[in-house]
Amino acid sequence: MTVGDLDHLYYWTRDMDAAVAFYRDVVGLTLVRRDGDAWAQFDAGPVRFALHGTDDETAAASGTVVFRVDDLDAAQWTLEERGARFEEHVGEVGGFARFATLRDPDGNPVQIIEYLG
């Protein structure tokens, strides 16, 4: 195999403190490493999730990180209690899954998903 398993996913951030606080305090991930404003890495299960600092104002938000939840409604309520703001609608993939979308401080999309059945 030329390419191995997915190792990690990272988002660019222009405000490391705000982004770390969001993923630690709102989303509830455990921060496992931080190198000042350059890098922060979280325990997010088998694939690592990280933040990469930048001063580049043109660095666009891209990609979507998706976290699995057992109960979408309960998870959404908990995240809203912690300060998250969700987009208006909950999406559904025809009897397969339901998901909801919010944004981190840099505008990166974050989704939570509940698989049905």
Side-chain angles (χ1 to χ4, degrees), residues 2-63:
T2 303
V3 176
D5 295 338
L6 180 62
D7 182 72
H8 70 278
L9 167 84
Y10 71 86
Y11 277 156
W12 292 104
T13 183
R14 288 177 289 283
D15 186 341
M16 186 64 75
D17 291 333
V20 166
F22 175 82
Y23 286 101
R24 182 191 59 217
D25 303 337
V26 176
V27 176
L29 298 180
T30 300
L31 180 66
V32 295
R33 179 179 168 203
R34 179 159 179 190
D35 294 327
D37 287 338
W39 186 260
Q41 187 171 310
F42 298 87
D43 181 356
V47 176
R48 292 175 285 178
F49 175 69
L51 300 166
H52 196 314
T54 184
D55 292 328
D56 183 356
E57 291 296 322
T58 65
S62 62

Side-chain angles (χ1 to χ4, degrees), residues 74-95:
Q76 186 171 354
W77 183 85
T78 299
L79 291 169
E80 286 172 337
E81 287 293 305
R82 295 177 183 168
R85 293 196 175 125
F86 283 83
E87 293 180 0
E88 302 261 336
H89 69 283
V90 170
E92 185 165 342
V93 180

